[in-house]
Amino acid sequence: MALRHEPTASYHSVQDALRVLETVGRRGTGINETELARETGIATERLTTLLRMLRREAYVEQITDGAYVTGAAFARLGSADGHRQALRVTLQRTLDRLRDRVGAAVYLSRYVDGEVRVTQYADSPATPKVNEWVDFRYSAHATAVGKSLLTQLDHEGRRDHLARHRPARLTSRTITSDRLLLSKLAAQPPTAPVLDLQEYAVGTVCAAVPLTAGSTAGCLALSLPLEHAHRLRRAADTLNRSAAPMLLSLAI
């Protein structure tokens, strides 16, 4: 199975953020924004936006003279000891903040060994997660999570998945035709959120955006009850803009 390599805006943001972190890390005593712009070649306005994100995620911090040094989150993730647990904690904090920001349950998913896996999520009594009435592993054809992951595979990878998990009708809106589904997946723009409008469950709408890290397909998703469907597009746009911190955590 191969992945489609179509860099998104989040991917480019992460590449720039990693350049900033590498530069800050080399200058252990601190480096100011002017020097960062000169050494990284990143335009000042874009650099300011990246530094704001890196400070919010605790990857960098400002010291008394305004210079930047690496922060606590970078130190945790950069250490070989306990990296997996530190990554999980960092991702969960980001998911919790995103849940509160979009007012919806949010999910982090990966495509591992040919299967859809929801690896972490953040919900609350006010933003409950979707009722998994059909195992997500067997319903990729109907969920925003599954379709987002499938769009990141090549054509043969998608066909293999659908051969192993035949599309079943879950609601009147579910696409069960392999040909139609493959056509829609191929036409999905890599920068646009994938939507599920009551295809998996009546009364629920969802959106997902890609998080391709290395050779593993991943995605960030949200779910809303149907009565909040009017918020889905705006929430999906926020989700898209918030993908960079998740990708950065996975890349460090």
Side-chain angles (χ1 to χ4, degrees), residues 130 171 197-205 224-229:
V130 68
T171 77
L197 305 177
Q198 300 190 90
E199 296 171 55
Y200 173 74
V202 174
T204 301
V205 294
L224 286 167
L226 183 61
E227 56 266 31
H228 292 283

Side-chain angles (χ1 to χ4, degrees), residues 40 63 67 70 73 107 125 129 183 206 250:
T40 61
I63 53 181
T70 55
Y107 313 80
K129 65 184 178 71
S183 175
C206 306
L250 292 168

Side-chain angles (χ1 to χ4, degrees), residues 149-239:
L149 294 173
L150 291 177
T151 62
Q152 296 171 62
L153 308 184
D154 61 12
H155 182 70
E156 289 307 312
R158 295 174 200 153
R159 289 187 59 183
D160 172 73
H161 184 92
L162 296 178
R164 288 183 291 108
H165 301 300
R166 300 299 306 161
R169 186 171 301 282
L170 306 183
T171 77
S172 62
R173 293 174 177 265
T174 307
I175 297 173
T176 57
S177 162
D178 284 14
R179 182 176 179 181
L180 179 57
L181 183 60
L182 288 169
S183 175
K184 285 184 172 293
L185 292 173
Q188 173 69 28
T191 57
V194 178
L195 303 181
D196 157 19
L197 305 177
Q198 300 190 90
E199 296 171 55
Y200 173 74
V202 174
T204 301
V205 294
C206 306
V209 298
L211 282 179
T212 304
S215 60
T216 303
C219 75
L220 186 59
L222 65 86
S223 64
L224 286 167
L226 183 61
E227 56 266 31
H228 292 283
H230 61 282
R231 296 202 291 115
L232 183 63
R233 295 283 180 175
R234 181 176 295 181
D237 288 341
T238 300
L239 198 71

